[in-house]
Amino acid sequence: MTTALLDLVLPPRCAGCDAPGVLVCPRCTAELRGEPARRTPAPSPPGLPECWSATVYAGAARRAILAYKEHGRTALAHPLAGALALTAGTAVGGHPVVLVPVPSSRPALRRRGHDPVGRLAVLAAGYLRAAGWPATAVQALAQRRRVADQAGLNALQRAENLSSALRLTPGASGSLAALLGGGRVVVLVDDVVTTGATLAEAARVLRAAGAEPRLAVTVAATRRRERPRDDHAR
């Protein structure tokens, strides 16, 4: 809350490079929007939809996401959602879209004081509609149980940590059923994709409700780590 108020009353500084006078400077905005592309984790967990992201999780994009998500700079929702909308529009290829955000845990919501991904999905849908693109955001998912912090967990541990961790929100089945059809594409939304475990669990819940998510869209994707090459391997 304090950071958000300071953004209103004091001259802002760029979240990407700390340049004075702007929320995100033109150079960091270009880095944040990056180049929308397929960036599906490899290896992928079973059931993970094709993943698209605006950029890689590094540099200005990483700093802006952390400032928004963890440090209360909620005004950054607008440029981040703009990058998300651009990526979603590129990925779906002209189809109407239903954006379904991945939910935050209750402890995270209390700690942050806001729902970062839910807000991004709503804003991104609004930007798409303003551009003449039929788009809706639906808060269809919620946490079923508490999960451990994902930081430091490998791909297998993340998958185990998130197994059966999500559920549909009350009334979500009806909302999704009313929106499906007419060529609409169900798209999962998150801020960052790492191993894909969270998005795979979200996709499982939606499929069980009869809403097949064809794509997942994020602002950023972590870089793939290349395995060291063994020149003696045959």
Side-chain angles (χ1 to χ4, degrees):
M1 178 65 73
T2 301
T3 305
L5 289 174
L6 288 176
D7 274 343
L8 290 174
V9 301
L10 295 178
R13 302 188 73 88
C14 174
C17 66
D18 208 36
V22 289
L23 188 64
V24 184
C25 74
R27 185 183 68 179
C28 290
T29 295
E31 186 176 336
L32 179 61
R33 291 184 178 178
E35 182 180 352
R38 295 182 187 90
R39 294 185 178 90
T40 302
S44 297
L48 178 68
E50 181 179 290
C51 294
W52 282 67
S53 59
T55 188
V56 296
Y57 188 58
R62 180 179 181 274
R63 290 189 289 271
I65 290 170
L66 287 175
Y68 166 63
K69 188 175 177 179
E70 304 294 350
H71 303 304
R73 295 197 64 181
T74 53
L76 289 166
H78 294 276
L80 292 172
L84 194 66
L86 177 63
T87 305
T90 303
V92 300
H95 295 280
V97 63
V98 178
L99 302 180
V100 179
V102 169
S104 297
S105 67
R106 289 181 181 178
L109 288 173
R110 288 194 296 269
R111 184 179 74 250
R112 294 169 180 153
H114 68 120
D115 179 5
V117 179
R119 179 64 172 157
L120 291 183
V122 170
L123 288 174
Y127 289 145
L128 288 170
R129 288 195 300 272
W133 209 304
T136 307
V138 178
Q139 299 273 0
L141 299 171
Q143 292 278 343
R144 180 190 295 276
R145 59 173 177 80
R146 297 190 67 172
V147 297
D149 189 342
Q150 296 277 80
L153 300 182
N154 62 30
L156 179 59
Q157 290 168 333
R158 285 175 180 242
E160 292 174 346
N161 184 43
L162 289 163
S163 178
S164 300
L166 301 181
R167 60 173 176 83
L168 285 181
T169 57
S173 293
S175 298
L176 289 170
L179 289 169
L180 295 180
R184 290 181 176 86
V185 177
V186 177
V187 178
L188 286 165
V189 172
D190 207 349
D191 56 343
V192 180
V193 58
T194 302
T195 65
T198 302
L199 290 167
E201 167 63 7
R204 180 195 66 78
V205 176
L206 291 182
R207 287 191 192 101
E212 176 68 35
R214 285 174 47 187
L215 297 166
V217 172
T218 65
V219 178
T222 56
R223 295 183 187 275
R224 297 177 183 178
R225 294 182 179 178
E226 299 292 338
R227 292 182 179 179
R229 181 178 176 182
D230 185 354
D231 291 333
H232 299 289
R234 292 291 186 268

